[in-house]
Amino acid sequence: MTTTKSDPWIPFHKIVQDPWSKIIQEKKDTGVKVIGHILPDVPEELIHASGAIPFALAGAGISINLAQAKIPSYSCSHVMGALELQLKSMLDFLDGIIIPYVCDTTRNLYHLWRNVFPDVPTEFLRLPKKVADPDASRYLHEEYIRISKWLNGITEREIDENSLTRAISVYSKSRDQLKSAYFKMQRSPETWSAHRVISLFESSLRIPREDHLELMTYLPWTVPDEKISDRARIYVRGKVWDPPEITKLFDELGFVLVGDEIVTGFRSVMVNAIIQEDLVQSLVDRHMSTVPYTGYYTDPRKMVEDFVERIRSCGAEGVIFLNPKFCEAAASCCYEKPYALKKNNIPNLILETSSRGTSTSQIRLRLEAFKEILTDDLP
Ligand code: SF4
């Protein structure tokens, strides 16, 4: 990879490696408020519209020293890592934090956060788990209004029609650009490697979106398509890119990502909010149309059928499940989905990952073996 000063990928890699410096500087320079949100599914548009910068928190890759004294050691790395950061005072620049209810672990995390850090303004976004329930949309609308009022209290700025329209437009534009980058990766995976493209996604969640959009204009959009015949086309399901080096492994081992449901991957950009009279409803509709996160419920048979259809429609030759260790929700969907894939002759690999004890070399070995299975199957 080129690493000259003019390398347009460097700013994104820098933000991924050090997500703190730029946002702390921004806050010093402008006095803007910064609201942290645990992934997934906190609507960044609401935070943006309140005048604050949303800053995504994920715990993958954080080495744990202090958090185990506060939360059961069988908690996933994502909540452990986020807690570790706060315990190490690395999140002191945040003006507030939103924790979404996606599972019992995040619910516990919310109560714990309130107790351990009583001075940190903390809110709980009670996302509906039964997303197919007829009342889920109305309920979520009320919940977004409640969170908006909480945000207004922190930033002392009203979320109004103008600010929300602006936020929705900025985020839609950014998602469209990220989507273009993702498709570029499939056509030119040497230049637009998974490691580079996913760094665009990861960094977009940690700096002002407008700045990120501008940085993306310097990318090599006009590079001609490359030959990709020897690459294995994969689809990935999981929470975040964990271990963080996994995208580098995909590149090195000759995989090409054609789809994923990772919350810092394609899932985060697949649906835009469509502007309508009720702008909060636009965000609700976006959430409801997004691929359900692990642990959300819809009709179980339909969930599996839709999953297989998504894989078929992007032409994936194999599926990788990146399952966070100690995540019951991820483990529970690892029976029917792999079974359905087997019935459809789509090979799959289940990797259990954790920043406590997952060896990258072991993952590499398993990916190498999986690549062999996929390329042997090629005509
Ligand atoms: S759903 Fe799983 S990975 Fe996500 S926060 Fe809960 S336990 Fe962790």
Side-chain angles (χ1 to χ4, degrees), residues 304-353:
V304 173
E305 283 169 5
D306 289 353
F307 176 64
V308 174
E309 179 48 34
R310 287 194 292 276
I311 289 154
R312 284 212 171 287
S313 63
C314 65
E317 292 159 323
V319 175
I320 295 174
F321 292 89
L322 278 185
N323 279 359
K325 197 169 182 175
F326 305 120
C327 173
E328 276 181 27
S332 70
C333 79
C334 263
Y335 170 69
E336 72 273 23
K337 287 195 174 78
Y339 181 68
L341 292 174
K342 198 171 171 205
K343 278 206 328 202
N344 284 276
N345 293 321
I346 304 170
N348 70 87
L349 171 70
I350 300 175
L351 296 172
E352 198 177 57
T353 65

Side-chain angles (χ1 to χ4, degrees), residues 76 78-79 102-103 105-106 239 293-294 324 326-329:
C76 71
H78 307 295
V79 299
V102 291
C103 63
T105 310
T106 57
K239 177 159 181 162
Y293 179 63
T294 295
F326 305 120
C327 173
E328 276 181 27

Side-chain angles (χ1 to χ4, degrees), residues 34 42 93-94 116 131 133 148-149 154-155 158 166 171 178 200 208 257 271 273 292 295 299 312 345 361 371:
V34 183
V42 173
F93 66 95
L94 295 178
V116 180
V131 282
D133 191 290
S148 300
K149 287 183 184 153
I154 291 188
T155 60
E158 281 291 309
R166 217 170 25 248
Y171 276 82
L178 288 165
L200 305 180
L257 260 178
V271 183
D299 171 16
R312 284 212 171 287
N345 293 321
S361 48
K371 170 84 191 309

Side-chain angles (χ1 to χ4, degrees), residues 23 27 32-36 47 52-55 93-97:
I23 199 84
K27 193 171 161 151
V32 67
K33 306 269 188 200
V34 183
I35 301 293
I47 300 174
I53 301 174
F55 186 88
F93 66 95
L94 295 178
D95 296 283
I97 178 159

Side-chain angles (χ1 to χ4, degrees), residues 126-253:
R126 297 177 179 87
L127 294 167
K129 300 296 290 297
K130 292 184 181 173
V131 282
D133 191 290
D135 287 332
S137 168
R138 183 190 49 76
Y139 163 81
L140 186 59
H141 189 282
E142 282 177 22
E143 190 59 5
Y144 281 178
I145 298 281
R146 189 183 67 81
I147 288 289
S148 300
K149 287 183 184 153
W150 178 79
L151 285 165
N152 292 341
I154 291 188
T155 60
E156 295 171 0
R157 273 174 58 177
E158 281 291 309
I159 297 177
D160 60 21
E161 204 180 316
N162 284 339
S163 65
L164 197 46
T165 305
R166 217 170 25 248
I168 291 175
S169 306
V170 167
Y171 276 82
S172 297
K173 205 168 160 196
S174 167
R175 289 190 187 109
D176 287 344
Q177 278 296 72
L178 288 165
K179 242 184 273 180
S180 302
Y182 199 88
F183 295 136
K184 199 85 188 136
M185 168 176 69
Q186 291 160 22
R187 298 193 305 272
S188 310
E190 294 293 330
T191 310
W192 292 74
S193 64
H195 176 58
R196 284 172 166 174
V197 169
I198 295 305
S199 79
L200 305 180
F201 281 68
E202 297 269 10
S203 54
S204 72
L205 298 161
R206 282 146 189 136
I207 61 168
R209 262 320 151 113
E210 293 85 345
D211 295 358
H212 193 269
L213 263 167
E214 195 193 328
L215 285 174
M216 278 203 293
T217 60
Y218 302 109
L219 295 173
W221 294 101
T222 53
V223 69
D225 292 355
E226 296 156 1
K227 188 171 170 285
I228 56 165
S229 55
D230 58 338
R231 294 205 175 223
R233 297 164 63 84
I234 48 161
Y235 189 95
V236 181
R237 181 177 164 92
K239 177 159 181 162
V240 294
W241 303 102
D242 185 22
E245 318 79 60
I246 196 141
T247 51
K248 258 190 188 164
L249 289 180
F250 292 158
D251 293 329
E252 282 170 29
L253 299 177

